[in-house]
Amino acid sequence: MSDSPQTDNKPAGAPPSADQFSYITHLQLDTLLSAMKPITPHPEEHIFLTTHHALEIWFKHVIYDLKRIIPMLEADRLAEANWLLKRLGEIMRLADGHWTVLETLSSPDFHEFRPYLTGASGMQSRQFREVEVICGLCELGGENYVASVRKAWPGMIEAYPVTLRQAFFNVINRSGTSLLEIYDKRWQHPQLFALAENAMELDRRFQSWRFNHILMVRRQIGMRTKGTGGTFGRDYLSATMGYLFFPELWELRHDIAALHGGEIAKP
Ligand code: HEM
């Protein structure tokens, strides 16, 4: 696998003069911060809004980098793809940390403003679903999952003819070796090994994000209270814990164990 030379990303033209430009101009802070509009006078609604906004900003960046990683993988630019994929694992680790902050919103405080959220639910997050779709969940999530994405966001699935999952397996297939061989002879295939471990890390962190969201939900409303999106946590959210982007990489652990004489139970 060879990496093509770095593309020239330098901006055209001269930088703006310092008196025309500032921190506020660059970050568009007036626009960004004006989006924080509590709908109740409850002071604890603020942390609820902040957590949602922070996570949506991170989702935006995750989508941005995923759209860069897929063509890099398709061109076998593994060093660059690995660098960014490792970052996405770190971002999801950070995203996962938001749940314990949100747990400092007490359950009674939350219930005091919750009725005003009416039908607003994280389930309606287009960006969250887009991350799942780009990563390749449509190939694994089942017919109902695909149908619900098509219904809520027509065209989203078609916008990603090659998903992260497909691009990953395209690289493995082109390499002419197998995942087990890559792990066993990892220092003969360092970039492929790093790719598999970075994909695993993204999957692991995403799973942790889902799990800790559920624990937070359980702490706030319990698993038998109907969500604002109309589902019961014990049914809908619990089922999403079965979603992985790279189940093959998890399953591979059995093959590695077996290679070294481990005793493996039947699935
Ligand atoms: C007190 C805070 C929260 C509670 C009680 C809560 C509760 C729930 C519940 C019950 C669901 C299932 C759908 C439903 O019936 O509504 C859900 C889904 C979801 N929530 Fe939250 N949530 C909270 C905060 C957040 C935050 C801050 C985010 C950040 C973006 C978020 C993102 C999501 C997403 C993406 C889903 C869809 C998950 C999927 O389809 O796999 N939630 N939430």
Side-chain angles (χ1 to χ4, degrees), residues 28-259:
Q28 297 279 306
L29 282 183
D30 292 342
T31 308
L32 182 71
L33 300 179
S34 67
M36 292 278 283
K37 288 197 171 62
I39 53 161
T40 73
H42 201 297
E44 287 296 277
E45 192 196 333
H46 203 270
I47 188 65
F48 182 81
L49 275 180
T50 302
T51 316
H52 278 90
H53 273 149
L55 284 168
E56 286 289 345
I57 289 176
W58 281 120
F59 292 159
K60 185 176 165 96
H61 189 84
V62 170
I63 292 168
Y64 183 84
D65 274 353
L66 281 169
K67 287 182 182 174
R68 297 169 67 201
I69 292 169
I70 292 169
M72 284 172 185
L73 291 176
E74 289 290 85
D76 286 319
R77 286 158 54 194
L78 298 193
E80 287 169 271
N82 269 328
W83 185 266
L84 294 182
L85 205 51
K86 191 170 170 57
R87 173 193 290 167
L88 294 192
E90 283 297 320
I91 292 175
M92 285 315 295
R93 192 174 64 83
L94 181 66
D96 191 22
H98 287 66
W99 300 130
T100 50
V101 176
L102 194 54
E103 284 179 36
T104 66
L105 162 65
S106 77
S107 176
D109 274 311
F110 178 50
H111 282 282
E112 281 163 16
F113 66 83
R114 184 172 184 255
Y116 294 85
L117 302 175
T118 61
S121 161
M123 230 183 174
Q124 294 146 7
S125 169
R126 184 189 54 78
Q127 293 200 111
F128 175 81
R129 207 60 74 207
E130 199 165 348
V131 171
E132 286 187 336
V133 167
I134 304 177
C135 287
L137 197 56
C138 285
E139 294 150 51
L140 304 159
E143 279 174 24
N144 289 348
Y145 175 83
V146 173
S148 72
V149 176
R150 281 198 200 288
K151 187 164 173 238
W153 292 283
M156 184 187 280
I157 296 174
E158 291 68 25
Y160 299 100
V162 181
T163 64
L164 179 70
R165 230 184 100 72
Q166 287 162 350
F168 171 87
F169 282 107
N170 288 344
V171 169
I172 304 299
N173 292 339
R174 276 194 304 273
S175 75
T177 182
S178 67
L179 281 173
L180 186 58
E181 168 87 8
I182 289 166
Y183 273 73
D184 192 35
K185 305 274 179 338
R186 53 205 170 281
W187 305 126
Q188 289 172 26
H189 310 284
Q191 289 290 3
L192 292 170
F193 178 54
L195 177 63
E197 282 293 283
N198 286 334
M200 179 87 190
E201 185 66 10
L202 177 64
D203 219 4
R204 188 247 177 277
R205 294 292 168 197
F206 213 92
Q207 188 75 347
S208 190
W209 187 93
R210 288 187 201 277
F211 183 65
N212 284 313
H213 171 255
I214 292 176
L215 283 183
M216 181 278 301
V217 171
R218 195 168 180 181
R219 185 167 182 168
Q220 300 293 5
I221 65 171
M223 297 300 273
R224 287 179 284 112
T225 304
K226 194 183 254 187
T228 48
T231 72
F232 293 101
R234 70 164 179 206
D235 303 330
Y236 179 77
L237 285 178
S238 299
T240 65
M241 279 308 294
Y243 292 155
L244 290 169
F245 302 134
F246 296 98
E248 297 84 351
L249 290 174
W250 297 82
E251 193 52 36
L252 180 72
R253 271 53 196 176
H254 299 120
D255 300 337
I256 297 170
L259 192 66

